[in-house]
Amino acid sequence: MSKRPSYASVANGAATQDDSTSAAAAEFDRSHDKQKILFSTDAGHFSLIRAMHLADLITELNGLCGILSLFSSLRYCLGDPADKTNLYYALAFLPFGLFFDFMDGKVARWRKKSSMMGQELDSLADLISFGVAPAVVAFAIGIRTPFDHLCLGFFILCGLTRLARFNVTATAIPKDANGKAAYFEGTPIPTTLGLDAIMAYWVSQGWIHDSLPWGTMFQGTALEFHPIVLIFMLHGCLMTSKTIHIPKP
Protein backbone atom coordinates (compact mmCIF):
# COMPACT_ATOMS: atom_id res chain seq x y z
CA MET A 1 0.00 0.00 0.00
CA SER A 2 2.18 2.80 -1.28
CA LYS A 3 -0.48 5.38 -0.40
CA ARG A 4 0.56 8.24 -2.61
CA PRO A 5 0.20 11.68 -1.06
CA SER A 6 -3.26 13.15 -1.35
CA TYR A 7 -4.03 16.77 -2.00
CA ALA A 8 -5.33 17.20 1.55
CA SER A 9 -2.36 15.55 3.21
CA VAL A 10 0.21 17.65 1.38
CA ALA A 11 -1.67 20.85 2.09
CA ASN A 12 -1.98 19.89 5.74
CA GLY A 13 1.70 19.12 6.03
CA ALA A 14 2.64 22.33 4.28
CA ALA A 15 1.19 24.48 7.03
CA THR A 16 4.30 24.08 9.14
CA GLN A 17 6.94 23.65 6.41
CA ASP A 18 9.14 26.11 4.47
CA ASP A 19 8.44 27.94 1.19
CA SER A 20 9.56 25.07 -1.04
CA THR A 21 7.11 22.73 0.66
CA SER A 22 4.35 25.30 0.32
CA ALA A 23 5.09 25.50 -3.39
CA ALA A 24 4.84 21.73 -3.65
CA ALA A 25 1.50 21.80 -1.86
CA ALA A 26 0.27 24.49 -4.23
CA GLU A 27 1.26 22.30 -7.16
CA PHE A 28 -0.73 19.42 -5.70
CA ASP A 29 -3.68 21.78 -5.22
CA ARG A 30 -3.63 22.80 -8.87
CA SER A 31 -3.36 19.17 -10.01
CA HIS A 32 -6.27 18.15 -7.78
CA ASP A 33 -8.47 21.05 -8.93
CA LYS A 34 -7.72 20.45 -12.60
CA GLN A 35 -8.67 16.78 -12.39
CA LYS A 36 -11.81 17.58 -10.41
CA ILE A 37 -12.90 20.08 -13.08
CA LEU A 38 -12.23 17.58 -15.86
CA PHE A 39 -14.31 14.90 -14.13
CA SER A 40 -17.25 17.23 -13.53
CA THR A 41 -17.37 19.19 -16.80
CA ASP A 42 -15.74 17.17 -19.60
CA ALA A 43 -18.45 15.15 -21.36
CA GLY A 44 -16.39 14.19 -24.41
CA HIS A 45 -15.38 10.73 -25.54
CA PHE A 46 -13.05 8.93 -23.11
CA SER A 47 -13.20 11.93 -20.76
CA LEU A 48 -12.59 9.70 -17.73
CA ILE A 49 -9.43 8.22 -19.26
CA ARG A 50 -8.13 11.61 -20.37
CA ALA A 51 -8.59 13.04 -16.87
CA MET A 52 -6.57 10.31 -15.18
CA HIS A 53 -2.95 10.84 -14.15
CA LEU A 54 -0.14 8.45 -15.09
CA ALA A 55 -0.04 7.24 -11.47
CA ASP A 56 -3.75 6.36 -11.71
CA LEU A 57 -3.10 4.15 -14.72
CA ILE A 58 -0.30 2.37 -12.85
CA THR A 59 -2.72 1.78 -9.97
CA GLU A 60 -5.11 0.18 -12.45
CA LEU A 61 -2.36 -2.31 -13.31
CA ASN A 62 -2.20 -3.24 -9.63
CA GLY A 63 -5.92 -3.97 -9.73
CA LEU A 64 -5.49 -5.94 -12.97
CA CYS A 65 -2.93 -8.21 -11.30
CA GLY A 66 -5.44 -8.99 -8.55
CA ILE A 67 -8.20 -9.67 -11.08
CA LEU A 68 -5.99 -12.01 -13.11
CA SER A 69 -5.09 -13.83 -9.88
CA LEU A 70 -8.81 -14.29 -9.15
CA PHE A 71 -9.46 -15.69 -12.62
CA SER A 72 -6.49 -18.05 -12.31
CA SER A 73 -7.82 -19.39 -9.00
CA LEU A 74 -11.23 -19.95 -10.59
CA ARG A 75 -9.66 -21.74 -13.56
CA TYR A 76 -7.87 -24.06 -11.13
CA CYS A 77 -11.14 -24.82 -9.33
CA LEU A 78 -12.77 -25.73 -12.65
CA GLY A 79 -9.91 -27.91 -13.86
CA ASP A 80 -7.91 -30.93 -12.78
CA PRO A 81 -6.90 -30.55 -9.11
CA ALA A 82 -3.64 -32.32 -9.88
CA ASP A 83 -2.62 -29.60 -12.36
CA LYS A 84 -1.31 -26.75 -10.21
CA THR A 85 -0.33 -24.44 -13.07
CA ASN A 86 -3.19 -22.00 -12.54
CA LEU A 87 -2.54 -21.97 -8.80
CA TYR A 88 1.01 -20.83 -9.43
CA TYR A 89 -0.29 -18.18 -11.83
CA ALA A 90 -2.74 -16.98 -9.19
CA LEU A 91 0.08 -16.58 -6.67
CA ALA A 92 2.58 -15.12 -9.17
CA PHE A 93 0.37 -12.21 -10.20
CA LEU A 94 0.27 -10.80 -6.66
CA PRO A 95 3.93 -9.69 -6.32
CA PHE A 96 3.48 -7.81 -9.60
CA GLY A 97 0.55 -6.07 -7.94
CA LEU A 98 2.92 -4.96 -5.17
CA PHE A 99 5.36 -3.63 -7.77
CA PHE A 100 2.68 -1.45 -9.37
CA ASP A 101 1.41 -0.41 -5.92
CA PHE A 102 4.92 0.79 -5.10
CA MET A 103 5.41 2.53 -8.43
CA ASP A 104 2.17 4.54 -8.44
CA GLY A 105 3.26 6.44 -5.33
CA LYS A 106 6.73 7.04 -6.76
CA VAL A 107 5.29 8.37 -10.01
CA ALA A 108 2.74 10.58 -8.22
CA ARG A 109 5.47 12.23 -6.15
CA TRP A 110 7.82 12.52 -9.12
CA ARG A 111 5.19 14.22 -11.29
CA LYS A 112 3.72 16.15 -8.34
CA LYS A 113 0.27 14.99 -9.37
CA SER A 114 -2.06 13.38 -6.88
CA SER A 115 -5.79 13.43 -6.22
CA MET A 116 -8.66 11.99 -4.24
CA MET A 117 -9.42 9.86 -7.30
CA GLY A 118 -5.96 8.32 -7.08
CA GLN A 119 -6.27 7.71 -3.36
CA GLU A 120 -9.56 5.88 -3.77
CA LEU A 121 -8.27 3.88 -6.75
CA ASP A 122 -5.24 2.84 -4.72
CA SER A 123 -7.38 1.50 -1.89
CA LEU A 124 -9.76 -0.37 -4.19
CA ALA A 125 -6.90 -1.95 -6.15
CA ASP A 126 -5.17 -2.97 -2.91
CA LEU A 127 -8.35 -4.60 -1.64
CA ILE A 128 -8.56 -6.74 -4.78
CA SER A 129 -4.87 -7.69 -5.00
CA PHE A 130 -4.03 -8.09 -1.32
CA GLY A 131 -7.39 -8.90 0.23
CA VAL A 132 -9.80 -10.72 -2.06
CA ALA A 133 -7.23 -12.48 -4.27
CA PRO A 134 -5.28 -14.20 -1.42
CA ALA A 135 -8.56 -15.32 0.16
CA VAL A 136 -9.70 -16.86 -3.12
CA VAL A 137 -6.34 -18.66 -3.46
CA ALA A 138 -6.93 -20.04 0.04
CA PHE A 139 -10.36 -21.24 -1.08
CA ALA A 140 -8.83 -22.84 -4.18
CA ILE A 141 -6.30 -24.89 -2.19
CA GLY A 142 -9.01 -26.35 0.03
CA ILE A 143 -9.89 -23.88 2.79
CA ARG A 144 -13.53 -23.97 1.82
CA THR A 145 -15.91 -25.16 4.53
CA PRO A 146 -18.77 -22.77 5.42
CA PHE A 147 -16.96 -21.76 8.62
CA ASP A 148 -13.77 -21.23 6.60
CA HIS A 149 -15.79 -18.85 4.40
CA LEU A 150 -16.68 -16.75 7.42
CA CYS A 151 -13.06 -16.63 8.56
CA LEU A 152 -11.81 -15.61 5.11
CA GLY A 153 -14.62 -13.06 4.91
CA PHE A 154 -13.42 -11.62 8.24
CA PHE A 155 -9.90 -11.35 6.77
CA ILE A 156 -11.15 -9.46 3.69
CA LEU A 157 -13.32 -7.13 5.78
CA CYS A 158 -10.34 -6.33 8.00
CA GLY A 159 -8.43 -5.29 4.89
CA LEU A 160 -11.39 -3.21 3.72
CA THR A 161 -11.69 -1.51 7.11
CA ARG A 162 -7.96 -0.88 7.33
CA LEU A 163 -7.93 0.85 3.92
CA ALA A 164 -11.01 2.93 4.74
CA ARG A 165 -9.46 4.01 8.04
CA PHE A 166 -6.30 5.13 6.26
CA ASN A 167 -8.29 7.29 3.86
CA VAL A 168 -10.15 8.91 6.75
CA THR A 169 -7.11 9.49 8.99
CA ALA A 170 -4.53 10.26 6.27
CA THR A 171 -4.33 13.94 7.18
CA ALA A 172 -3.79 13.19 10.89
CA ILE A 173 -0.68 11.02 10.44
CA PRO A 174 2.67 12.92 10.59
CA LYS A 175 4.23 13.45 7.15
CA ASP A 176 7.49 14.50 5.56
CA ALA A 177 7.99 17.48 3.26
CA ASN A 178 6.62 15.55 0.29
CA GLY A 179 3.40 14.62 2.06
CA LYS A 180 4.43 11.00 2.63
CA ALA A 181 3.08 9.45 5.85
CA ALA A 182 5.74 8.70 8.47
CA TYR A 183 4.33 5.31 9.43
CA PHE A 184 1.66 2.71 8.77
CA GLU A 185 -1.07 2.37 11.39
CA GLY A 186 -1.53 -1.39 11.60
CA THR A 187 0.24 -3.73 9.22
CA PRO A 188 -0.20 -2.53 5.61
CA ILE A 189 -2.41 -4.74 3.50
CA PRO A 190 0.39 -5.73 1.04
CA THR A 191 1.96 -7.72 3.89
CA THR A 192 -0.56 -10.41 2.94
CA LEU A 193 2.10 -11.38 0.41
CA GLY A 194 3.60 -13.26 3.35
CA LEU A 195 0.48 -15.44 3.35
CA ASP A 196 0.86 -15.89 -0.40
CA ALA A 197 4.43 -17.09 0.10
CA ILE A 198 3.26 -19.59 2.71
CA MET A 199 0.54 -20.89 0.38
CA ALA A 200 3.03 -21.14 -2.48
CA TYR A 201 5.18 -23.36 -0.27
CA TRP A 202 2.19 -25.55 0.59
CA VAL A 203 1.37 -25.91 -3.10
CA SER A 204 4.97 -26.85 -3.92
CA GLN A 205 4.90 -29.53 -1.20
CA GLY A 206 1.49 -30.85 -2.21
CA TRP A 207 -0.03 -29.74 1.12
CA ILE A 208 -3.41 -28.77 -0.30
CA HIS A 209 -6.99 -30.04 -0.10
CA ASP A 210 -7.01 -33.09 2.21
CA SER A 211 -3.30 -32.59 3.00
CA LEU A 212 -3.54 -29.05 4.36
CA PRO A 213 -1.35 -28.46 7.45
CA TRP A 214 -3.13 -28.98 10.80
CA GLY A 215 -5.92 -30.91 9.12
CA THR A 216 -9.61 -30.32 9.87
CA MET A 217 -11.50 -29.84 13.12
CA PHE A 218 -15.10 -30.77 13.96
CA GLN A 219 -15.48 -32.82 10.79
CA GLY A 220 -19.07 -33.57 9.84
CA THR A 221 -20.50 -30.73 11.94
CA ALA A 222 -21.66 -27.20 11.11
CA LEU A 223 -18.47 -25.91 12.74
CA GLU A 224 -16.08 -27.91 10.55
CA PHE A 225 -13.08 -25.78 9.65
CA HIS A 226 -9.36 -25.85 8.88
CA PRO A 227 -7.35 -24.46 11.82
CA ILE A 228 -4.85 -22.99 9.34
CA VAL A 229 -7.46 -20.36 8.45
CA LEU A 230 -6.79 -18.75 11.85
CA ILE A 231 -3.57 -17.36 10.34
CA PHE A 232 -5.71 -15.24 8.03
CA MET A 233 -7.83 -14.04 10.92
CA LEU A 234 -4.74 -13.12 12.94
CA HIS A 235 -3.36 -11.17 9.99
CA GLY A 236 -6.68 -9.37 9.68
CA CYS A 237 -6.48 -8.31 13.33
CA LEU A 238 -2.92 -7.00 12.83
CA MET A 239 -4.06 -4.91 9.85
CA THR A 240 -6.76 -3.18 11.88
CA SER A 241 -4.60 -2.60 14.97
CA LYS A 242 -4.29 1.04 16.04
CA THR A 243 -1.35 0.51 18.37
CA ILE A 244 1.00 -1.02 15.80
CA HIS A 245 3.00 1.72 14.03
CA ILE A 246 5.32 0.49 11.27
CA PRO A 247 7.75 3.13 9.89
CA LYS A 248 7.43 3.68 6.16
CA PRO A 249 10.63 3.01 4.17
Side-chain angles (χ1 to χ4, degrees):
M1 185 174 59
S2 62
K3 289 304 170 198
R4 32 184 154 146
S6 68
Y7 138 79
S9 66
V10 174
N12 183 67
T16 58
Q17 297 294 332
D18 57 19
D19 291 342
S20 62
T21 305
S22 297
E27 181 66 29
F28 274 90
D29 287 350
R30 287 193 293 272
S31 173
H32 174 269
D33 292 340
K34 180 180 178 181
Q35 188 182 58
K36 185 176 181 179
I37 292 170
L38 286 172
F39 281 139
S40 60
T41 63
D42 191 344
H45 296 299
F46 305 108
S47 59
L48 175 62
I49 302 300
R50 289 188 284 107
M52 294 176 72
H53 300 316
L54 176 59
D56 298 336
L57 299 176
I58 295 174
T59 302
E60 298 275 9
L61 293 176
N62 172 14
L64 177 62
C65 289
I67 292 167
L68 293 177
S69 174
L70 290 171
F71 288 156
S72 295
S73 293
L74 294 175
R75 287 175 64 86
Y76 171 77
C77 291
L78 293 173
D80 180 5
D83 184 0
K84 303 174 186 174
T85 303
N86 283 309
L87 267 183
Y88 284 118
Y89 284 154
L91 291 162
F93 279 120
L94 302 181
F96 286 102
L98 179 64
F99 170 76
F100 291 122
D101 185 45
F102 174 78
M103 289 303 299
D104 64 9
K106 289 289 187 182
V107 170
R109 284 186 286 273
W110 166 54
R111 292 175 60 87
K112 294 184 173 61
K113 289 186 176 180
S114 189
S115 64
M116 289 300 295
M117 171 78 169
Q119 182 174 314
E120 298 304 323
L121 272 177
D122 195 61
S123 292
L124 293 170
D126 283 354
L127 180 63
I128 296 171
S129 295
F130 310 122
V132 179
V136 174
V137 173
F139 175 91
I141 65 174
I143 304 176
R144 55 176 72 164
T145 70
F147 197 79
D148 288 340
H149 296 169
L150 290 176
C151 295
L152 292 175
F154 172 83
F155 163 75
I156 295 172
L157 291 177
C158 284
L160 175 64
T161 304
R162 189 246 183 276
L163 292 167
R165 181 184 65 186
F166 183 93
N167 289 346
V168 170
T169 62
T171 58
I173 296 176
K175 297 172 181 62
D176 61 18
N178 295 319
K180 184 177 179 181
Y183 57 79
F184 292 111
E185 195 173 65
T187 55
I189 193 169
T191 56
T192 59
L193 284 176
L195 298 176
D196 300 331
I198 292 172
M199 289 190 289
Y201 179 72
W202 294 344
V203 173
S204 69
Q205 298 298 309
W207 299 344
I208 58 177
H209 301 303
D210 293 337
S211 300
L212 278 168
W214 303 352
T216 307
M217 293 186 67
F218 306 118
Q219 281 185 294
T221 71
L223 296 178
E224 179 180 350
F225 77 104
H226 294 86
I228 204 71
V229 78
L230 298 178
I231 294 178
F232 287 83
M233 297 188 70
L234 174 61
H235 196 95
C237 292
L238 293 176
M239 286 192 290
T240 55
S241 171
K242 189 171 178 62
T243 58
I244 296 176
H245 290 174
I246 300 178
K248 292 193 71 170

